[in-house]
Amino acid sequence: MRNDFKKFKRIVVKVGTSTLTHGNGQLNLERMERIVRELSDLHNQDKEVLLVSSGAIGTGANRMGLKKVPRTLPEKQALAAIGQGALMHMYEKIFAEYGKTVAQVLLTREDLNERLRYLNATNTFLAILNMNVIPIINENDTVAVDEIKFGDNDMLSTMIAGLVDADLLIILSDVDGLYDQDPRVHKDAQLQSEVYEITDNMEENSANKGIAFSSGGMLTKLKGARVCMTAGIPLVIANSSEINVIRRVIAGEKLGTLFVPREEKMQARKKWIAFGTVPHGKIVVDAGAETALLMKGKSLLASGVVEAKGDFGRGTVVAVISAQGQEIARGMANYSAEEISRIAGKKSADIEKILGEKDYDEVIHRDNLCIKC
Ligand code: GLU
């Protein structure tokens, strides 16, 4: 798989706060310059490059002489506003040295929640790339509050990779990749060069936080990796302190951890259902429906529904929950929560009698269903 990287055209690179700053919170200019130089060189090879960069809050805190990030949301948002400008100024300056033009894109989760806005964002990115410009993306921390937050840039970068249908996502971090056990505790921990499946165990072992100014850690990276693997996009997590790390990863060198995606790329529509939006309700299904969905690739019919939870309308993306309470799929519901409550457990042939009309045979059509995403 790594041998294919050389041919890849559209590459998303994510750098975290720990990469961009020194331990004292000041920008690590040497590191920034190296990354910008590598990205510019990729761009010179006619590759399309997108950079997801953290560091706004950290840079803002540093500008204000703070040693750590304050607790209140408005203060953090103010720091992001201060730091984002400073960060972009630095990127502008360094990219310009290599003759590159950059574009700042700030997003909240809400911007991608509706399918139309998601498509809009895709088109904007494609227009920027067509202009031969390098987009630099961050969460719009200044206006984002909890409900509309991506939360961390690991997740943001995987969403961007999905949004632009990237060939490869590289997350640069202060760790070498994924180890089989915590390398800080176990001296014999082994770096995993390739990962084919993310287990719950891996996530449990990675529940540590990153440095003071960033919100990541290995757990958020694994969550992102899960998304990428399902969406069919290879992801490499590598250490940003390796010399020429981006070039070497793309050359196919066994650096960091490669999360090997499943064979086929997910259709754009399913990708949006899976990752573009937050589910706004739940449909609980019985064991028979669970098997039909997971093993046979069938649509969800009313007969297999136990209940609908939440208050959602037709066309809403909802989570499909097994009788054991596990999320097994996400999909776009053809009927509202109230309608589903009335037809739950009933035959499709009875829908018209119960609702007075029947626009669809399925509660969720299999084309609008994303399994285990
Ligand atoms: N968006 C935040 C910032 O630029 C960082 C989030 C993260 O570290 O993942 O400061």
Side-chain angles (χ1 to χ4, degrees):
M1 163 116 241
R2 289 194 192 244
N3 288 334
D4 297 336
F5 290 3
K6 289 186 206 77
K7 294 184 278 187
F8 285 171
K9 170 117 176 106
R10 187 169 291 167
I11 294 151
V12 178
V13 175
K14 182 255 171 179
V15 285
T17 305
S18 62
T19 294
L20 295 172
T21 52
H22 292 289
N24 63 2
Q26 300 268 17
L27 281 177
N28 185 334
L29 295 178
E30 200 257 339
R31 185 81 64 64
M32 258 181 116
E33 269 168 3
R34 277 204 276 129
I35 288 164
V36 169
R37 182 165 179 273
E38 284 207 77
L39 294 177
S40 301
D41 198 38
L42 277 187
H43 200 250
N44 283 348
Q45 296 164 54
D46 293 328
K47 310 247 185 233
E48 294 172 326
V49 176
L50 298 95
L51 173 63
V52 177
S53 175
S54 308
I57 298 177
T59 306
N62 189 258
R63 280 279 159 118
M64 302 316 289
L66 304 176
K67 288 278 169 282
K68 55 180 196 301
V69 175
R71 265 202 236 120
T72 74
L73 187 62
E75 280 175 306
K76 277 192 218 157
Q77 293 182 308
L79 292 179
I82 296 160
Q84 181 64 28
L87 195 62
M88 275 312 286
H89 176 74
M90 200 49 81
Y91 276 127
E92 274 272 356
K93 183 169 163 332
I94 312 176
F95 270 111
E97 284 173 18
Y98 297 101
K100 302 297 173 198
T101 305
V102 295
Q104 169 181 266
V105 183
L106 300 178
L107 287 170
T108 64
R109 205 172 221 290
E110 210 183 31
D111 296 322
L112 308 181
N113 242 341
E114 286 159 32
R115 178 133 176 90
L116 197 59
R117 292 177 73 179
Y118 184 86
L119 291 177
N120 251 331
T122 308
N123 289 336
T124 308
F125 276 114
L126 298 185
I128 294 172
L129 294 174
N130 268 335
M131 289 175 188
N132 242 337
V133 167
I134 298 174
I136 302 181
I137 305 130
N138 196 357
E139 175 145 29
N140 194 354
D141 296 304
T142 301
V143 298
V145 287
D146 269 355
E147 313 79 81
I148 60 165
K149 249 184 175 306
F150 292 100
D152 61 80
N153 280 5
D154 293 323
M155 193 42 90
L156 175 63
S157 66
T158 52
M159 301 276 260
I160 298 296
L163 194 80
V164 299
D165 206 9
D167 296 314
L168 175 67
L169 168 63
I170 303 175
I171 294 188
L172 295 180
S173 173
D174 54 355
V175 294
D176 296 331
L178 181 72
Y179 282 86
D180 57 351
Q181 41 189 340
D182 190 340
R184 291 167 306 182
V185 185
H186 304 276
K187 289 282 160 281
D188 56 344
Q190 297 282 325
L191 181 68
Q192 309 286 288
S193 173
E194 263 150 41
V195 170
Y196 289 87
E197 200 197 342
I198 295 174
T199 59
D200 294 343
N201 197 14
M202 284 179 186
E203 290 193 349
E204 276 158 30
N205 286 341
S206 309
N208 65 324
K209 269 271 189 181
I211 60 162
F213 292 127
S214 69
S215 42
M218 192 43 85
L219 183 60
T220 59
K221 290 176 183 56
L222 286 183
K223 288 197 188 307
R226 213 184 258 273
V227 173
C228 276
M229 289 164 96
T230 315
I233 299 170
L235 158 68
V236 174
I237 297 178
N239 199 321
S240 59
S241 56
E242 290 278 353
I243 300 294
N244 294 329
V245 59
I246 303 173
R247 185 172 62 73
R248 287 165 60 199
V249 166
I250 292 173
E253 201 176 309
K254 271 200 166 189
L255 266 185
T257 302
L258 163 63
F259 293 86
V260 183
R262 63 184 194 188
E263 290 283 291
E264 72 298 1
K265 283 214 169 190
M266 206 183 237
Q267 293 163 351
R269 184 181 178 76
K270 287 206 179 186
K271 227 184 296 174
W272 173 74
I273 290 173
F275 317 119
T277 182
V278 197
H280 288 285
K282 292 177 181 172
I283 298 179
V284 182
V285 300
D286 63 20
E290 182 178 344
T291 312
L293 260 51
L294 300 189
M295 316 301 268
K296 300 183 189 150
K298 299 267 188 207
S299 298
L300 176 63
L301 303 178
S303 55
V305 173
V306 178
E307 61 172 331
K309 289 184 171 175
D311 179 20
F312 54 86
R314 289 183 175 201
T316 305
V317 173
V318 296
V320 179
I321 310 290
S322 71
Q324 282 75 38
Q326 304 278 28
E327 179 176 322
I328 54 168
R330 284 183 188 182
M332 200 188 294
N334 281 335
Y335 292 101
S336 70
E338 188 262 334
E339 289 167 328
I340 295 171
S341 304
R342 284 161 56 201
I343 59 176
K346 304 287 191 315
K347 291 202 196 71
S348 301
D350 295 334
I351 293 180
E352 187 166 2
K353 213 164 44 197
I354 301 167
L355 298 181
E357 57 175 348
K358 183 173 78 170
D359 292 332
Y360 308 94
D361 276 334
E362 313 82 13
V363 170
I364 301 177
H365 192 276
R366 60 165 193 251
D367 288 348
N368 291 327
L369 197 63
C370 168
I371 303 299
K372 290 219 162 146
C373 32

